[in-house]
Amino acid sequence: MLEYSMLYPRTTLSRRAVSLDGMWKFCLDEQETGEKSGWTFGIPGNELIPVPASFQDFYTEKEIRDYAGDFWYEKDMFVPEEWEGRELFLRFGAATHRAVVYVNGTKITEHEGGFLPFLANVTRVVRYGASNKVVVKVNNELTVTNIPCGETARLANGRKISKPYFDFFNYSGLQRSVYLLALPKEYIFDFDLNYEISGKDANIQYRVKTTGGHSVMLTLYDEEGRIAAQAKGTDGTMEVKNARLWRVRDAYLYKLVIRIMDGERIVDEYQQEIGIRTIEVKNTLILLNGEPVYLRGFGKHEDSDIVGRGFHIGVMKRDFELMKWIGANSFRTAHYPYSEEIYQMADREGFLIIDEVAAVGMFESLMNFMEASTGKKTAFFEKETTPVLLMAHKRAIEEMITRDKNHPSVIAWSLLNEPETTNEAAVPYFEEVFQLARQLDVQKRPRTFALIMNSVPGACKCYPFSDMIALNRYFGWYVKGGHEIAEAEALFRKEMDAWKALNLNKPFIFSEYGADTLGSEHKLPSVMWSQEYQEEYLKMTNAVFDSYDFIKGEQIWNFADFQTTEGILRVNGNKKGVFTRQRQPKDAAYLLRKRWKELPLDYKR
Ligand code: BDP
């Protein structure tokens, strides 16, 4: 069990959550002398930077954008006198990729893994009724002992740069909100929910963890604010008569209020919107509330102009409006767990999420998508450092599942993206991560991972771990693109026939397929990179998807164009977006919209 509570910060009767978002002081630490120079008490200069945001795209200097190493943030925070006697925490939504936190010069915690929240108990280090200094040292270097995987290289001039084994820019910093939390001494730490539907009614099996021994009470309210169910005790069942189910693009949210009671006195109160639904995989079907669903949607990124990977509430809103417009019903949080607000929005809008941990780049290659298809073997899971990597990976899975398990939108866990699966050494590694996910999730959601092009029948040792097979396939782009598209289709069908022959009796989805397309290019007849080719490519892939009954979903790569490391394969970023980075449609968006609006929800039932 994690040493701190992952519950989303909220102000309730008993809790206070104060946002520390806004301008923070900022500086780089090229010489890595911050601690020695006393920066833990306050950093030099007067440079201000917004939080949440990636630091990279604000500046006009290349050295800053491409900086790898330590960098520091600082903010003053006032702690009210009346909070004495409470438990106080600093909560970071994410610090990419690792951070050390100091309050008034004292180190209070450190955390590794850049896409999940962490908390530090500051009860005993803060001054009450006074201003306190929060200083954070962040580091964005890539390694093979943490996720996402990559290297940090040193140039001849001494500067460090990032060499990701993955295809997105190494944006970093305090990319999500920071909060100061004041909780009662005895507080609600965590809870789990599981659902059972019987006829018109539903049972919610629950388990609540608190930090004390007082009794626990739960009340469930419907959307009109009427009491729908009540229960007492730290675990049990709530019965909901005439339950309104949470459905795809037709979400119904109940409000769950959990209280710790000392007689009549409320010791702690926590509230969260929840949705009643079941999710399972049965034969080749993905069943939501027992009904088959066919996924359509995207692999996404948290990525936009100016703020980079920083959470931006406006970009989030626009993305959901576009997904609704195009008729999508799902997305994968490629290639890391997203900001919590995005899951809350998906809960409200009825989108299905495949929640992915940041286990990407598990193939030694500076251009993984290129070298993977060459059949090259890199013995990735046989390194001396693999056990360290596995520990970090498992820790991230635990943090992700603990954070996201109570969202109705989350229907599956993606535990790796495009790892090397052709060596026997991958098997025990997979065994551990898949087993951990099963053990942590009381809902036993399907587990999956995204298979790279060379993970095919006969070569891939790991697909049996997946409850739902997720393929990343680029026939017609990396393989036989443009004038060779007919051959691409033949190879694509050949591979699908080989999967069919295995008779796995599991649903397959396409977690990636796509073609780079420049919003500016038109060409008749088509050439690769033109808008016309993106449409031609989609017509081919869609025809293949429609030919196999066991294919139960299509999530195109990518929702929008996004930033990557520069290089000869990328034109100022990856251009496989159906939308531009500014969130305007390319021509293919209209083609997809027509298809996705016409396909029934239970297509191929
Ligand atoms: C896959 C990766 C994804 C890349 C994509 C591509 O999973 O991160 O962006 O291919 O090449 O290899 O566009």
Side-chain angles (χ1 to χ4, degrees):
M1 196 174 82
L2 298 175
E3 56 282 22
Y4 41 72
S5 166
M6 293 288 267
L7 297 183
Y8 187 74
R10 291 179 212 285
T11 291
T12 68
L13 271 178
S14 54
R15 297 173 167 233
R16 298 291 174 268
V18 175
S19 165
L20 297 180
D21 292 355
M23 297 306 264
W24 286 54
K25 275 182 71 177
F26 178 75
C27 75
L28 302 181
D29 186 4
E30 279 117 326
Q31 309 307 323
E32 295 168 20
T33 51
E35 277 97 348
K36 263 191 270 156
S37 318
W39 295 8
T40 54
F41 291 91
I43 67 175
N46 282 310
E47 179 60 24
L48 295 178
I49 202 169
V51 170
S54 309
F55 72 79
Q56 280 87 355
D57 285 354
F58 294 123
Y59 296 99
T60 52
E61 293 93 344
K62 244 187 173 174
E63 292 68 29
I64 304 181
R65 185 191 63 201
D66 298 335
Y67 179 82
D70 293 343
F71 47 100
W72 295 66
Y73 287 83
E74 176 193 319
K75 178 111 178 151
D76 289 331
M77 96 185 154
F78 188 83
V79 179
E81 217 167 49
E82 58 272 24
W83 284 5
E84 228 175 322
R86 294 176 177 240
E87 286 296 302
L88 302 194
F89 296 91
L90 267 174
R91 185 191 199 267
F92 293 84
T96 321
H97 296 286
R98 56 190 66 76
V100 188
V101 183
Y102 302 88
V103 172
N104 301 329
T106 305
K107 175 174 161 183
I108 53 164
T109 197
E110 48 190 304
H111 182 263
E112 189 149 18
F115 301 97
L116 285 157
F118 62 95
L119 281 80
N121 192 319
V122 295
T123 315
R124 269 160 287 278
V125 287
V126 293
R127 289 187 293 263
Y128 292 85
S131 181
N132 292 268
K133 200 167 282 301
V134 182
V135 170
V136 190
K137 181 177 89 167
V138 188
N139 174 284
N140 66 352
E141 289 173 44
L142 297 173
T143 67
V144 290
T145 51
N146 197 5
I147 53 174
C149 297
E151 291 168 25
T152 303
R154 209 181 264 282
L155 303 175
N157 63 12
R159 286 185 45 235
K160 288 182 191 166
I161 57 161
S162 301
K163 295 269 186 187
Y165 291 172
F166 49 85
D167 185 37
F168 49 94
F169 192 80
N170 189 31
Y171 280 120
S172 43
L174 298 181
Q175 305 189 119
R176 296 180 191 160
S177 291
V178 184
Y179 280 94
L180 174 62
L181 302 179
L183 306 186
K185 282 278 170 224
E186 182 178 346
Y187 62 91
I188 297 152
F189 191 84
D190 187 24
F191 64 95
D192 288 281
L193 305 170
N194 198 9
Y195 305 98
E196 201 181 75
I197 300 165
S198 63
K200 285 190 153 155
D201 308 330
N203 285 329
I204 308 178
Q205 289 126 25
Y206 71 88
R207 192 172 65 200
V208 179
K209 282 188 205 121
T210 72
T211 60
H214 281 102
S215 65
V216 168
M217 259 191 56
L218 291 87
T219 312
L220 191 71
Y221 297 91
D222 67 15
E223 285 187 358
E224 264 69 59
R226 289 179 302 237
I227 293 181
Q230 275 180 310
K232 267 203 178 99
T234 50
D235 50 283
T237 304
M238 272 190 288
E239 280 180 39
V240 188
K241 293 271 170 229
N242 288 314
R244 291 278 302 268
L245 300 185
W246 187 93
R247 298 179 192 283
V248 184
R249 299 289 299 108
D250 177 21
Y252 190 90
L253 296 178
Y254 289 89
K255 184 168 82 186
L256 177 66
V257 179
I258 307 177
R259 292 193 175 119
I260 302 179
M261 302 298 295
D262 181 4
E264 291 293 286
R265 192 174 68 88
I266 298 170
V267 178
D268 187 24
E269 180 187 275
Y270 190 77
Q271 316 192 342
Q272 187 165 313
E273 289 185 318
I274 64 157
I276 299 177
R277 59 106 186 88
T278 60
I279 177 74
E280 72 181 306
V281 150
K282 204 175 190 178
N283 304 324
T284 67
L285 296 172
I286 303 167
L287 300 174
L288 190 85
N289 304 325
E291 297 288 325
V293 294
Y294 184 87
L295 306 181
R296 67 212 67 175
F298 301 97
K300 286 185 96 266
H301 260 299
E302 285 185 288
D303 173 279
S304 66
D305 284 333
I306 318 284
V307 293
R309 190 144 291 122
F311 174 68
H312 189 296
I313 197 166
V315 173
M316 169 177 78
K317 176 68 181 165
R318 175 71 178 175
D319 285 6
F320 273 92
E321 288 307 310
L322 291 176
M323 288 196 289
K324 280 155 46 177
W325 173 82
I326 205 169
N329 65 12
S330 63
F331 59 93
R332 175 172 63 122
T333 68
H335 292 307
Y336 35 81
Y338 290 177
S339 301
E340 291 152 288
E341 294 78 6
I342 294 172
Y343 300 75
Q344 292 164 5
M345 188 92 167
D347 290 346
R348 180 67 276 167
E349 296 283 4
F351 278 87
L352 307 173
I353 294 178
I354 298 176
D355 204 2
E356 184 161 277
V357 76
V360 55
M362 296 192 152
F363 185 99
E364 204 175 295
S365 160
L366 297 179
M367 286 284 182
N368 66 356
F369 36 91
M370 281 312 285
E371 287 179 74
S373 46
T374 62
K376 170 181 163 183
K377 295 199 179 206
T378 73
F380 192 83
F381 294 107
E382 289 161 57
K383 292 181 197 296
E384 214 175 290
T385 50
T386 300
V388 189
L389 175 67
L390 177 60
M391 254 167 57
H393 189 170
K394 285 169 76 175
R395 167 84 194 189
I397 290 173
E398 185 172 7
E399 290 177 355
M400 172 177 79
I401 294 182
T402 310
R403 191 192 72 160
D404 296 339
K405 62 191 173 185
N406 292 320
H407 289 289
S409 54
V410 174
I411 57 151
W413 308 113
S414 171
L415 301 176
L416 314 92
N417 179 72
E418 299 198 338
E420 182 173 37
T421 63
T422 49
N423 285 6
E424 212 44 66
V427 175
Y429 189 101
F430 269 65
E431 180 106 50
E432 293 222 23
V433 297
F434 274 75
Q435 205 208 316
L436 178 68
R438 181 46 41 104
Q439 172 203 323
L440 291 171
D441 180 17
V442 299
Q443 294 185 13
K444 310 291 172 218
R445 271 166 269 228
R447 300 152 301 169
T448 189
F449 73 101
L451 274 74
I452 195 167
M453 285 290 284
N454 72 351
S455 292
V456 290
C460 176
K461 313 248 187 269
C462 299
Y463 68 79
F465 288 104
S466 285
D467 302 312
M468 171 170 94
I469 311 275
L471 301 179
N472 291 0
R473 291 296 178 269
Y474 288 95
F475 294 101
W477 187 253
Y478 295 120
V479 181
K480 308 267 180 208
H483 55 175
E484 294 183 299
I485 194 166
E487 278 169 45
E489 178 168 355
L491 287 173
F492 196 179
R493 288 182 184 276
K494 197 170 159 214
E495 183 185 334
M496 294 322 296
D497 290 341
W499 286 113
K500 189 177 174 184
L502 289 179
N503 216 345
L504 297 180
N505 202 24
K506 288 181 183 184
F508 276 61
I509 64 158
F510 282 89
S511 40
E512 286 186 29
Y513 62 102
D516 281 273
T517 306
L518 294 173
S520 57
E521 289 310 302
H522 280 283
K523 189 96 172 172
L524 190 64
S526 79
V527 288
M528 291 172 83
W529 296 90
S530 70
Q531 303 233 20
E532 285 74 10
Y533 186 69
Q534 194 177 27
E535 292 199 49
E536 201 176 321
Y537 167 88
L538 285 180
K539 284 182 189 148
M540 183 277 279
T541 51
N542 292 344
V544 175
F545 300 161
D546 290 340
S547 313
Y548 297 87
D549 273 350
F550 58 89
I551 297 175
K552 292 294 163 42
E554 46 193 85
Q555 296 187 326
I556 190 171
W557 192 255
N558 188 285
F559 171 76
D561 294 346
F562 60 93
Q563 197 63 55
T564 64
T565 307
E566 58 195 309
I568 51 167
L569 280 169
R570 294 289 175 256
V571 187
N572 183 19
N574 187 309
K575 300 294 183 199
K576 293 193 186 71
V578 171
F579 299 96
T580 62
R581 200 183 193 207
Q582 292 68 40
R583 274 53 179 184
Q584 297 302 336
K586 297 182 190 169
D587 287 356
Y590 297 92
L591 181 148
L592 281 174
R593 181 170 193 257
K594 185 163 185 299
R595 172 177 171 82
W596 288 351
K597 292 233 161 188
E598 278 169 10
L599 287 185
L601 179 60
D602 63 352
Y603 183 45
K604 299 187 203 163
R605 68 172 303 149

